[in-house]
Amino acid sequence: MGKDVIIACDFSGKEQVMSFLDKFGEKRPFVKIGMELFYAEGPQIVKQLKSRGHKIFLDLKLHDIPNTVKKAMSVLSSLDVDICNLHAAGTSRMMEAAIEGLTRPDGSRPLLIAVTQLTSTDQQSMEQDLLINRPIDEVVMHYALTAKNAGLDGVVCSPLEAERVHSVCGSDFLTVTPGVRFADGDKGDQRRVMTPADAKQIGSDYIVVGRPITAADDPVAAYDRCVAEFVD
Ligand code: C5P
């Protein structure tokens, strides 16, 4: 898979997501389904979007004992999602088990990427709540390298970290980056943001874009603008 724009479909139910995607006519953008939509609608929503021809990043961020994650990943693999994810904090054993669970009898599997430290975690909360005293940037890069060594395909990270992740883990290790905003757009609650053009420049492999597309007056035009800046 090459560079692409993934639309974060942060909707509460099937009707909302379908009426949003109907606006795209024959286009079939890559979509991200998160916990809210998945827990509301179940695996059926994945099957329905797949049958319409969308690629799917299922953003459920698994984190449990290796055996449980392995079995859960096997279920997600049978749904034929394109990308799924987990928390690198679950350790190498959990990540290796996840890959085993994802791998189908024919050897194929969805891409698997790791969350390192959530962008909502800052240095202070990491030190106080998690008792991790290293600089957060070092922790993020260490988790990324641990994920790579466990056989994962990439990480979710800030576009501001993508360049460093590539230099630590190699240019073919995928960086999937949310926190994207148009230069003339509203930042909302995101703090550290980058434009699609800048994300392309620093080497992000996929950008995950939610509200700049979903809340736009013309979502299709906003999506086309992201593709023009990031992919073309
Ligand atoms: O609307 P917006 O473009 O901010 O949406 C970004 C999407 O990426 C949301 O689904 C959000 O949960 C997700 N995300 C993020 N930052 C992370 C990880 C995921 O914004 N570090």
Side-chain angles (χ1 to χ4, degrees):
M1 288 199 272
K3 276 188 187 297
D4 211 345
V5 173
I6 303 178
I7 304 179
C9 287
D10 293 323
F11 296 103
S12 53
K14 180 183 153 186
E15 282 69 39
Q16 292 92 325
V17 73
M18 291 304 180
S19 74
F20 170 74
L21 291 173
D22 282 345
K23 297 185 169 94
F24 288 79
E26 295 302 304
K27 282 185 194 157
R28 293 289 181 264
F30 204 136
V31 296
K32 178 170 90 73
I33 298 177
M35 290 185 204
E36 183 187 11
L37 188 58
F38 189 78
Y39 292 151
E41 300 292 347
Q44 214 46 39
I45 189 73
V46 175
K47 291 180 185 161
Q48 283 162 347
L49 293 178
K50 270 308 279 193
S51 71
R52 282 172 59 119
H54 295 276
K55 285 185 177 164
I56 295 177
F57 169 16
L58 188 58
D59 180 17
L60 298 181
K61 302 187 179 75
L62 276 69
H63 189 175
D64 207 319
I65 60 171
N67 187 54
T68 301
V69 169
K70 177 178 169 179
K71 289 182 171 168
M73 285 294 185
S74 168
V75 176
L76 301 187
S77 188
S78 70
L79 289 175
D80 198 22
V81 297
D82 297 279
I83 305 180
C84 49
N85 63 357
L86 47 64
H87 276 280
T91 77
S92 304
R93 271 182 57 224
M94 187 199 80
M95 292 193 269
E96 287 160 8
I99 291 193
E100 272 181 51
L102 275 185
T103 306
R104 305 181 186 108
D106 66 0
S108 68
R109 64 166 173 81
L111 293 173
L112 180 61
I113 60 176
V115 175
T116 56
Q117 285 293 341
L118 291 167
T119 45
S120 50
T121 304
D122 61 11
Q123 185 73 36
Q124 192 189 8
S125 53
M126 201 180 64
E127 289 181 14
Q128 285 180 357
D129 297 351
L130 308 180
L131 278 185
I132 299 173
N133 288 310
R134 301 284 193 97
I136 192 159
D137 191 45
E138 196 185 308
V139 175
V140 166
M141 295 308 148
H142 178 69
Y143 282 29
L145 199 53
T146 307
K148 182 188 161 71
N149 291 338
L152 271 71
D153 304 293
V155 286
V156 184
C157 64
S158 150
L160 298 144
E161 291 162 350
E163 209 163 12
R164 179 122 192 261
V165 168
H166 279 142
S167 75
V168 170
C169 300
S171 58
D172 55 354
F173 191 64
L174 300 173
T175 52
V176 179
T177 62
V180 173
R181 292 293 180 265
F182 293 120
D184 51 2
D186 182 4
K187 279 202 216 172
D189 55 356
Q190 296 279 17
R191 288 290 164 266
R192 303 194 310 139
V193 298
M194 213 180 244
T195 65
D198 287 342
K200 177 182 185 178
Q201 187 67 31
I202 53 88
S204 285
D205 296 289
Y206 294 90
I207 50 172
V208 176
V209 188
R211 289 159 292 178
I213 296 174
T214 56
D217 292 335
D218 184 344
V220 181
Y223 171 74
D224 288 344
R225 181 177 172 193
C226 279
V227 172
E229 282 193 30
F230 182 69
V231 185
D232 296 342

